Every structure is written in C-alpha cells, then in structure tokens.
Amino acid sequence: MTVKRICLASDVPTNEMREFTTDGGDKLLVANSGGEYFAVQAICPHQDVPLCDGFYDGCVLTCHQHLWQWDIKTGEPVGGIAEAPLERFAVFVEGGEVFVGTRGALNVGELFSGLSESTLSKLQGLAKAEEHPAGGALYQAGDPADDFFVLDSGRIEFQIGRDERTSPAGFMLRKGEVFGWAALLDAHPTRIASARVLEPSRVLRINGKQALAVLEADPASGYLAMRRLAGLIARFLAAPGAR
Amino acid sequence: MRIQVRARNRAYDFEAPEGEKLLFAGLREGVDLPYECATGTCGTCKARLVEGELKDLWPEAPGKKHLKAGEGEFLMCQCAAAGNVTAEVSKYVYAMDPGVCMPQAVGGKIAAVRHLPGDVAAVDVDLDSPIDFDAGQYMALETPGVAGMRGYSMVNFARGTKRLEFVIKKKPGGGFSEWLFAGERAGSALALFGPLGKATFYPNLAKNLLCIAGGSGIAGMMAIVDRACQESYFNQYKGHVFFGVRTAKDAFYLDELAGFQARFAQNLAVTIALSDEDVPASLASRYPGLRFDRGFVHEVAKKTMAGIYGNIRAYLAGPPPAVDASIRFLLLEAKLSAENIRYDKFS
C-alpha cells in the first residue's frame, strides 16, 4: 500500500466532504463523518459526475445527478438505486493531517470488500497477480473452471458460444470486478464463456477451491461473500430474452 | 439494418429501419437502453461506435457537449444507422419489464391550442392510432422544419387513447415552442415517439403522494393526480400537491386542481405557491378549496410538509433549480430514500 498526505484534518469540517487531487494526479473525496475520516473515489461510478457536487449528511453520500447513494463508512450502496459500490481508500490521521493509502483490487472488489482483515489477507495470499497483453485470452468456453479473477486494471470482454457461433456477453472495466466466478460454484466444472483481453490488463488469479476453504473457516465473512456472489449472478440473470 | 448494442452485461441485436434513431429502434424492441431526455440534451444515451456508419440527424444537438471527441462517441437519440451498426454502451442494460407501455413512433396532428396565462399553451393532439402510457410519462414531439424533438409530459391520463393533452411553455430559443407560438397551429402534423420517462405513478404504490411542480412541470402531476382520482386512491392515501408560479396572473389549471381537491377534500391538499407577489385576497376567496402561499415552490413545500413525511413518494418537475432544491431537502431533511424521489432530468 502506498500512503500519501492529502490534506489537513481541519480542511474537512465535521459532516462535510471535499475533493482533493493527489500529487499523482488522482482525484479522491475525503469525508468527515462525526470526526472520523473516510476517503472514496471522487467520480460517481454511474456517469462521470463529481461526487463532491452531491449531497452528504455525515453518513450517506448521494450523487446529485441520479441519486445513487452509499454508506460513506463502507462504500456499499444504500437507498435501492446505486448499482455499484464506491472504491474506498484506507485513511490515517496523524498530527492533524490526513493520509490516504490505495487499496488492492481485492479490497475494492464487489465480492470481498468489508471481509475480516485476516480472511482478506489469506485471500490476498492465494492471489497471483498477472499481467496480460491486449489480444490474448484468459480462458475459453469449455475450459475447466478452477480459478476466478479480480480485475485490477484494463478491460476484459466475454463471448458465449463456440467456434463460428459466438456472441458478445458483456465486458468488465472496473477495478475490483470479479469474473470467472463459476470457480466458486459446486459442480460447475467448465467455463460457459470465453474471456478475452481487450486492453493490457492486470488481474488477480485465485483458485476457487482454496478460496472457498478460506471463506468456510470464517463463516461471517464467507456468508457476506456468498451473498454478494448471489447478487452478482442475479445481475446477469436479470437480462432475459437473449437472442 | 442490423444493430448490435454491446452492454456491460450482454449484447442486444435488433433491426432499425433507415432513418430511425437507434435509441427509438431499441426501445421499440423492448431493450431498455439508457436515456433521460431522449431529445438530444442530457447526454445519457451516449454510446461508442464499434463498427458501421451513422447518420447524425441533428449535428447541433446540445447534448454533444457530453461526448468525448475522437473516441467515436455519439448520441443514440440523434443518430440513425447508415448500414449495419455495432455500438457499445458502457452500462448495464436490461430488457424492459413485461407489462410496461411500449414506446412507439406515432403520427398525429394538433387538434386545439388554448393559450393560458404566462406564455403557456394547452395543446391537444389527436394521434393516428391509440397508445397506452403511464401517468407521469412524456412524449417526444417534432414538427417538420424544426430541428430536434422536444419532450412534453401528458396532462391527461387514459388507456388506449388517441387524445393527448400537453402544456407547452414558450421558451426563447426553444425551437418547438417558438414555432407553436408563432402562428395558428391547429391542424399541423406532428411526429411523436413515446411514451417515455420513469417518473411514473401506479395505484398499487400504497404511499402518500407528494407532487412538487414549477410552471409547466405541473403537466405530469396533473396526470398523476388524475389517475389517482380515477382510482379513488385518495380514499386511502394522502396527496400533497404544490404548484409554483410567479404571480397570480401566471397560474393555470386552478379550476381543474380545485375540482380534484373537491372530490377528495379530506385527503387531497393542493397548495399554489406564488414566488413574486403576496397572495391576492381575491384569488384565495375564489378558490376556497385550494391553499395559497408566498414563496418558491420548494420552500413552501418544505415548510408545509415539516413533520408529515411518513410513507411518502415524491414526484418532482419544473425548472432545474426548483427540482434540485426539492431533491436536497427531501434527501437531507425529510430523509426520503432515493427510490421515493422521482423525476426525469431533461438537462
């Protein structure tokens, strides 16, 4: 984790928020919730809208454009409209100054953010970081589904069907998005889609069986991860009428 | 022409005839493509051209300021296919729910124009074929010779109807409204597409209604209150309607609103907010069933609603500053959840 100084604690009054740009040029939003500081991505994951223009009551952050809402402490969607969590950053306050550390893709991810620290670090231990050039394939339909993937950067596209008869089945481009999750399901031995690398991409590769063993050993975290997995699958099921 | 739209979750294939806007072709086929204004302003329907050629039907559309130059981005509401087209939409896109009123292209003509106070006209349109729409929805309207379409909410509510009623405010530089006000328009042909919009009311909502409208934004609220009255919704649930205009001279639909209020006097409250003058005593005595107050409509609503936000669904329409101010107090002070604040953003 790289840690950067962002601002003075007094720059962000109680129950208010401010946008800052790091010396690396990244924008992030620092929010003060009753004296506790949180840092999240500065731009709404829906459309390119600055969240600092939104509403913040000290607990819930609302984008003013379409009312996507999040719990500032967890980055999780609330209010029933937001379809994606916010990327959160680790925050340290020392000597009246706010420092922010970037989180790895696993902590950002839609499956694992908010899991216990020990379980997260075990999963991190299972994760192999891989870099793939554009044009390659991570897996093909019909391949054994042993591993799942967490996107760190880049863009992965999916195709269903085989040989001549394939059709596009979506794409992933957000840090923390999880794909190849068949590896986390019982009795699901093969890939139903193929995954192609569209832009140079960094991914974390994690063995499904080993990850399940880690999650089983920490049922609270495991339950949260499985609940999120169910939601993830439902998001793709909720697109009926494939032609 | 064969169109493929690649969304984040899957791809959709549909046909589009020559000259039809890609957004409309997809919506007609039941693909719930992203849009809000559907008329070239908001930028919500932007997509990226992957393959094929497009015809831009309104190169000056103001919504093009939302597009990234040089990356092949375009507005689906303004571009038609000139051959087979593959486009990418960086959002999750789903099929429309079964049972929604399917948008379609329909022709019509202006049956009557009735001028109301404050540069506003009530416009009745007769369609060539009947359509279904939901209370709170709008149609995109266009007349030959005026670039671009404009969205207007239906004032009436009826199923399978060929008669649509609109309220149109004269806006300087607004192509359609300037055309409407420039001459006698009864009998003029229109092209329409719809119904559109998601700020809809269904009687199975089972919540108290709060409608906050400024100026011609009252149109969709009239349809919502009309439908609620038709279904005797206000026997069970409360309705709070706030209608903001500048002065007493700018107010319209007061007879209609008083009529709704009289039918459900126990549970339906209608407040007219005048921003620029004190309430004339003559107005208040003419409409004993309506309430009148001085102030911006969102301020009057906020003051009146304090402490009675239980089980509320809010609908908002009107000038963006009034809508934004209403959203702010409904979220931060009334603590309504986002899903209970409904509006369509046109800018």
Side-chain angles (χ1 to χ4, degrees), chain A residues 206-229:
Chain A
I206 303 176
N207 181 272
K209 280 212 175 73
Q210 293 175 6
L212 286 173
V214 168
L215 293 172
E216 269 167 21
D218 175 2
S221 290
Y223 171 72
L224 185 59
M226 287 299 122
R227 210 173 69 182
R228 297 227 185 96
L229 178 61

Side-chain angles (χ1 to χ4, degrees), chain A residues 47 55 57 62 65-67 69 79 81 155 168-174 177 235 238-243, chain B residues 4 6-11 13 36 44 88-92 94 327-328 331-332 335 338-339 341 343 345:
Chain A
Q47 294 174 8
F55 311 111
D57 65 0
T62 306
Q65 275 288 320
H66 300 97
L67 309 189
Q69 297 184 304
I81 293 183
R155 184 179 153 127
F171 50 94
M172 303 246 161
L173 38 70
R174 275 187 204 132
E177 285 195 298
R235 199 157 76 197
R243 280 187 286 160
Chain B
Q4 181 174 75
R6 298 179 180 175
R8 296 251 291 145
N9 49 329
R10 58 162 284 193
D13 295 288
E36 275 171 280
T44 305
E88 179 186 293
V89 172
S90 213
K91 292 185 177 127
Y92 286 82
Y94 300 106
I327 293 171
R328 180 172 283 277
L331 278 176
L332 297 183
K335 300 284 178 192
E339 59 188 339
I341 304 175
Y343 59 96
K345 239 180 154 57

Side-chain angles (χ1 to χ4, degrees), chain B residues 213-258:
Chain B
S216 55
I218 193 67
M221 307 302 172
M222 295 297 285
I224 288 171
V225 175
D226 189 353
R227 176 155 203 199
C229 286
Q230 287 181 30
E231 312 255 356
S232 297
Y233 190 78
F234 299 122
N235 280 342
Q236 258 187 295
Y237 301 99
K238 292 204 180 300
H240 311 269
V241 177
F242 295 87
F243 178 24
V245 289
R246 290 219 173 98
T247 68
K249 280 201 202 97
D250 302 310
F252 53 94
Y253 284 152
L254 297 192
D255 292 332
E256 290 84 348
L257 287 166

Side-chain angles (χ1 to χ4, degrees), chain B residues 168-189:
Chain B
I168 297 179
K169 183 171 171 62
K170 185 179 179 184
K171 295 221 166 95
F176 188 88
S177 68
E178 288 200 329
W179 168 82
L180 182 77
F181 281 83
E184 172 58 43
R185 298 306 182 198
S188 298

Side-chain angles (χ1 to χ4, degrees), chain B residues 287-303:
Chain B
Y287 294 101
L290 303 181
R291 301 177 189 178
F292 294 87
D293 208 340
R294 164 100 200 240
F296 287 113
V297 66
H298 52 274
E299 289 168 352
V300 169
K302 180 174 154 181
K303 184 176 71 179

